[in-house]
Amino acid sequence: MSSQIDHLLTETRRFAPSAEFAEQANAHADLYDEATADREAFWAEQARALHWEKPFTKALDWSNPPFATWFEDGELNVAYNCLDRHVEAGHGDRIALLWEGEPGDERRVTYAELTDEVKRLANVLTDLGVESGDRVAIYLPMIPEAVASMLAVARIGAIHSVVFGGFSADSLRSRIDDAGAKLVITSDGGYRKGKISPLKPAVDQALGDRGHGPQETVEHVLVVKRTENEVSWQEERDLWWHDLVPAASADHVAQPFPAENPLFILYTSGTTGKPKGILHTSGGYLAQAAFTNKAVHDLHPETDVYWCTADIGWITGHTYVTYGPLANGATQVIYEGTPDTPHPGRWWEIVAKYGVTILYTAPTAIRSFMKLGRSIPEQHDLSSLRLLGSVGEPINPEAWMWYRHVIGGDRAPIVDTWWQTETGAIMVSALPGVTETKPGSAQVPLPGISLDVVDDQGQEVGNGNGGLLVLTEPWPSMLRGIWGDPERFKETYWDKFADQGFYFAGDGARLDEEGDVWFLGRVDDVMNVSGHRLSTTEIESALVGNEAVAEAAVVGASDETTGQAVVAYCVLKNSYTQAHDLEGVVDALRKWVGDQIGPIARPRDVYIVTELPKTRSGKIMRRLLRDVAEGREVGDTTTLADTMVMATIKGQVIGK
Ligand code: WTA
């Protein structure tokens, strides 16, 4: 079946779903025909799987591009769709969350219990003065309260902004400020790598004076007790979840809101240092989240045990932990901790313990398991797995094959899913019961999605050639804007191909001879580290914020485990080098970035150099620094202001 020869250049292996899988699959090939025949009618039909308090009469309004509306005159309540309607349909006893804490504690939460908790919390939020349209920041570990918080905010028509618990106080502060959040929901801490990682202290710092005065919009901080570490308390402002939520009434009738009511803001990296608040709304987002979870993950809520390993701090956690699976009435695993705590087989132990049938994770995780060797997963019974998913970055064919063989027992189809914070839901993927998959290709646009690969002028490059990925038609879960910055929204995604009206995704791609999509990585100055987007500019500005650093350039260098790794080149201040011993400065700078932005941004390497390569107009030539970081021959240096500088840098890097 498989030829290993030259598969890096031309992948020749093919994997068709078994007849048995294809037959039971939710999605069949006719979906492509339906969507081609009438795209808007297709999406309207998917949206009708939700409960609409007031049905919509029209799918798309694209009369004012790039500002789309979907199902605009319809009204629904997102939380009702994820909770109450399942209870009313008689599934209240079905388990929604199979929660596993890192220390090994567990909680099983049924749909009835989760609905009850969300209703109480909705009453608490209303009592605290949170109204529809207000912003609530959520800074929590992966505990059931995190999901409940998102749903309670949605239930009252307010807007959540979830900030990943690994982000620092400064990152949290800038996100709280940008959104103008009224309330923060956090916990004393969470467990990570066997230790308590405190969260409330970071909130206290974030709300304090960070150099421009104390934070002004936050009125209250609601705190879940998880780790029982000592926390400081500000009377009036700080409130314990366990004091308020259990005591609140569990009667709460969900009010319908318009389909275009904002649901959440999620911050992501752009090419400038300032994170972008990606805005998503309700009806279209939920429709595509639920549809893709059903069609791509092949979710059968009565029988499947689904596990998406993403944190709710990322878009994958929003769409494929909270909204998609719960809208579909799924039973899912949520795990608080890291994959290797307390032992490297922890994930596989969880798969076996709960009989996980669908696993959705990231290539970086798969590669780190590959590194540890197959003997670890082989100690656990993984025979329950029937579908595997990948997201966050291109998955190389080796990792794909390993995933299929070692984890999926050569049985479970793999869906490699391409999408973005901005797209809200999966856009490119196999349909697992239909597509004959190729290791390394994300395959084809989903039914109802239209894309192309074009050159800088927007001309189709044709099969076999690399170019820029564009989305050529609006889709229901598309971002509706950047919070507070409509100009930046247009500029970032729409201006490049304004004549054609294409959405520019920022990714390079190639369509092969059969029209299957191969992603080639970001084309802008955004890195992808372990499936998370980091901006080079943001890390550079953190570095120059350090007293030792005069200038910094950051590049993403390919890394066997994390996809890309952060590599920084720093020029130190003369005043600093004269007055200080440079021993330890590299480690100090790595730690500094970790403290400023969060541990995921910590550079793998920091090189101290005397100069950076610049063009005559002063632009840093990152391409050359990437060559050095990846140990390659340095490319064309003719446009450098000083052509000698690269030889100097190479000497300094190698001389280390
Ligand atoms: C990359 C994560 C190749 C891509 C859902 C995109 C991928 C960015 C894939 C979005 C994939 C995500 N194959 N590349 N299957 N999935 N990407 O916003 O560069 O965190 O633009 O959303 O990740 O990252 P984000």
Side-chain angles (χ1 to χ4, degrees):
M1 169 175 46
S2 77
S3 144
Q4 304 273 341
I5 306 161
D6 278 344
H7 64 257
L8 279 178
L9 296 173
T10 343
E11 179 59 59
T12 54
R13 292 169 290 195
R14 301 284 184 279
F15 299 94
S18 67
E20 199 189 345
F21 189 99
E23 198 173 319
Q24 61 80 56
N26 287 328
H28 298 282
D30 54 357
L31 287 180
Y32 293 111
D33 305 329
E34 266 176 55
T36 310
D38 188 341
R39 204 170 48 85
E40 289 177 35
F42 169 81
W43 282 120
E45 190 185 323
Q46 308 319 321
R48 284 191 196 100
L50 301 175
H51 173 85
W52 293 85
E53 204 54 43
K54 177 174 174 253
F56 55 87
T57 59
K58 183 176 176 197
L60 169 68
D61 184 344
W62 192 229
S63 58
N64 180 31
F67 300 95
T69 66
W70 283 87
F71 319 120
E72 191 181 10
D73 62 347
E75 290 183 6
L76 79 172
N77 185 287
V78 169
Y80 176 89
N81 271 283
C82 294
L83 299 167
D84 313 47
R85 72 167 169 151
H86 305 312
V87 178
E88 288 168 18
H91 305 309
D93 291 337
R94 183 184 294 166
I95 291 173
L97 309 178
L98 289 161
W99 177 77
E100 173 100 5
E102 193 181 79
D105 44 343
E106 51 182 87
R107 277 161 71 187
R108 293 171 184 235
V109 185
T110 65
Y111 272 92
E113 289 164 344
L114 189 59
T115 306
D116 185 274
E117 181 90 342
V118 168
K119 288 179 171 180
R120 290 176 198 273
L121 182 56
N123 283 322
V124 169
L125 297 180
T126 305
D127 288 347
L128 292 174
V130 180
E131 294 175 7
S132 83
D134 286 345
R135 277 79 60 207
V136 175
I138 298 175
Y139 186 64
L140 283 170
M142 285 297 280
I143 54 177
E145 286 82 357
V147 173
S149 296
M150 294 167 80
L151 291 169
V153 171
R155 190 178 185 91
I156 61 171
I159 305 170
H160 57 69
S161 163
V162 181
V163 180
F164 175 56
F167 276 128
S168 67
D170 280 323
S171 302
L172 175 61
R173 170 65 177 266
S174 63
R175 286 159 174 76
I176 290 174
D177 280 348
D178 188 78
K182 199 169 189 178
L183 176 79
V184 180
I185 307 180
T186 189
S187 69
D188 44 4
Y191 288 99
R192 274 192 77 74
K193 296 188 197 288
K195 290 197 294 248
I196 291 172
S197 134
L199 292 174
K200 171 71 163 60
V203 174
D204 291 336
Q205 277 179 32
L207 299 182
D209 189 343
R210 310 293 295 162
H212 310 279
Q215 209 286 332
E216 281 177 352
T217 58
V218 172
E219 294 171 7
H220 291 288
V221 179
L222 185 60
V223 189
V224 179
K225 189 171 261 181
R226 162 71 185 131
T227 41
E228 318 238 341
N229 45 311
E230 192 85 35
V231 292
S232 61
W233 209 249
Q234 192 165 317
E235 293 303 330
E236 308 284 303
R237 188 194 73 184
D238 297 346
L239 308 158
W240 282 113
W241 175 295
H242 63 254
D243 284 341
L244 298 189
V245 181
S249 162
D251 290 329
H252 186 275
V253 180
Q255 300 301 317
F257 294 96
E260 286 295 340
N261 198 51
L263 179 60
F264 64 86
I265 304 167
L266 183 59
Y267 288 86
T268 190
S269 296
T271 49
T272 73
K274 188 173 178 276
K276 298 178 282 196
I278 304 299
L279 176 69
H280 282 285
T281 59
S282 304
Y285 170 78
L286 194 64
Q288 194 171 330
F291 165 72
T292 49
N293 177 237
K294 231 181 160 126
V296 176
H297 298 118
D298 194 44
L299 181 85
H300 292 69
E302 309 77 21
T303 47
D304 275 318
V305 176
Y306 166 92
W307 184 18
C308 165
T309 63
D311 190 282
I312 51 143
W314 312 111
I315 190 67
T316 308
H318 280 61
T319 308
Y320 298 110
V321 175
T322 301
Y323 291 110
L326 294 179
N328 287 327
T331 294
Q332 69 176 314
V333 170
I334 291 188
Y335 172 55
E336 177 188 32
T338 45
D340 51 356
T341 308
H343 59 81
R346 187 63 191 278
W347 272 20
W348 315 119
E349 179 183 84
I350 292 173
V351 168
K353 174 174 172 182
Y354 295 104
V356 172
T357 58
I358 302 170
L359 179 69
Y360 190 37
T361 191
T364 180
I366 299 162
R367 287 192 296 263
S368 64
F369 291 126
M370 267 175 91
K371 230 169 158 176
L372 295 172
R374 64 179 62 189
S375 67
I376 291 165
E378 277 170 3
Q379 288 160 27
H380 302 274
D381 178 7
L382 307 181
S383 62
S384 56
L385 290 169
R386 64 175 200 88
L387 181 108
L388 303 175
S390 175
V391 58
E393 55 178 311
I395 177 166
N396 47 304
E398 282 65 28
W400 197 102
M401 291 301 295
W402 190 90
Y403 196 26
R404 177 178 164 87
H405 181 65
V406 179
I407 306 303
D410 290 322
R411 169 188 75 245
I414 294 180
V415 287
D416 173 12
T417 62
W418 177 90
W419 56 295
Q420 308 178 294
T421 304
E422 293 87 343
T423 70
I426 298 171
M427 304 293 281
V428 180
S429 169
L431 287 181
V434 178
T435 315
E436 198 185 49
T437 52
K438 295 176 189 170
S441 166
Q443 308 289 160
V444 286
L446 287 185
I449 302 300
S450 311
L451 59 75
D452 208 344
V453 177
V454 300
D455 63 16
D456 260 323
Q457 277 68 51
Q459 295 295 317
E460 208 169 280
V461 295
N463 289 0
N465 301 314
L468 306 173
L469 187 96
V470 292
L471 299 167
T472 56
E473 300 284 353
W475 63 100
S477 63
M478 68 197 282
L479 77 166
R480 299 302 196 265
I482 293 176
W483 182 255
D485 204 343
E487 272 316 306
R488 191 175 177 197
F489 169 60
K490 285 194 208 162
E491 209 179 277
T492 311
Y493 305 106
W494 304 94
D495 277 2
K496 188 166 178 70
F497 299 114
D499 293 345
Q500 298 86 349
F502 295 161
Y503 167 89
F504 173 50
D507 278 16
R510 176 173 66 85
L511 301 178
D512 67 17
E513 294 306 333
E514 293 160 320
D516 288 319
V517 189
W518 296 77
F519 282 96
L520 305 173
R522 305 284 307 169
V523 297
D524 52 22
D525 288 337
V526 176
M527 294 169 285
N528 191 323
V529 179
S530 297
H532 300 309
R533 277 158 69 181
L534 299 175
S535 134
T536 51
T537 323
E538 203 177 357
I539 299 174
E540 285 164 4
S541 47
L543 282 165
V544 295
N546 184 286
E547 54 161 352
V549 179
E551 265 190 300
V554 166
V555 297
S558 56
D559 183 276
E560 232 175 73
T561 308
T562 58
Q564 282 190 306
V566 179
V567 175
Y569 295 84
C570 296
V571 179
L572 299 185
K573 287 180 190 150
N574 281 339
S575 58
Y576 186 88
T577 50
Q578 281 156 13
H580 295 82
D581 178 5
L582 295 187
E583 178 84 29
V585 70
V586 162
D587 286 335
L589 290 175
R590 293 179 62 234
K591 181 172 181 307
W592 169 265
V593 174
D595 294 344
Q596 294 288 304
I597 302 174
I600 43 163
R602 190 185 296 141
R604 183 190 69 186
D605 305 311
V606 172
Y607 296 119
I608 305 299
V609 296
T610 47
E611 246 183 299
L612 295 174
K614 289 182 188 159
T615 61
R616 266 162 267 260
S617 63
K619 257 185 112 159
I620 293 174
M621 292 192 69
R622 289 196 180 70
R623 170 172 63 77
L624 302 177
L625 293 173
R626 216 173 289 127
D627 289 342
V628 174
E630 294 179 344
R632 258 194 315 274
E633 197 57 41
V634 173
D636 185 3
T637 57
T638 47
T639 53
L640 279 179
D642 169 4
T643 48
M644 281 310 291
V645 69
M646 284 316 297
T648 317
I649 289 176
K650 257 185 103 171
Q652 285 161 341
V653 167
I654 295 164
K656 263 186 50 92

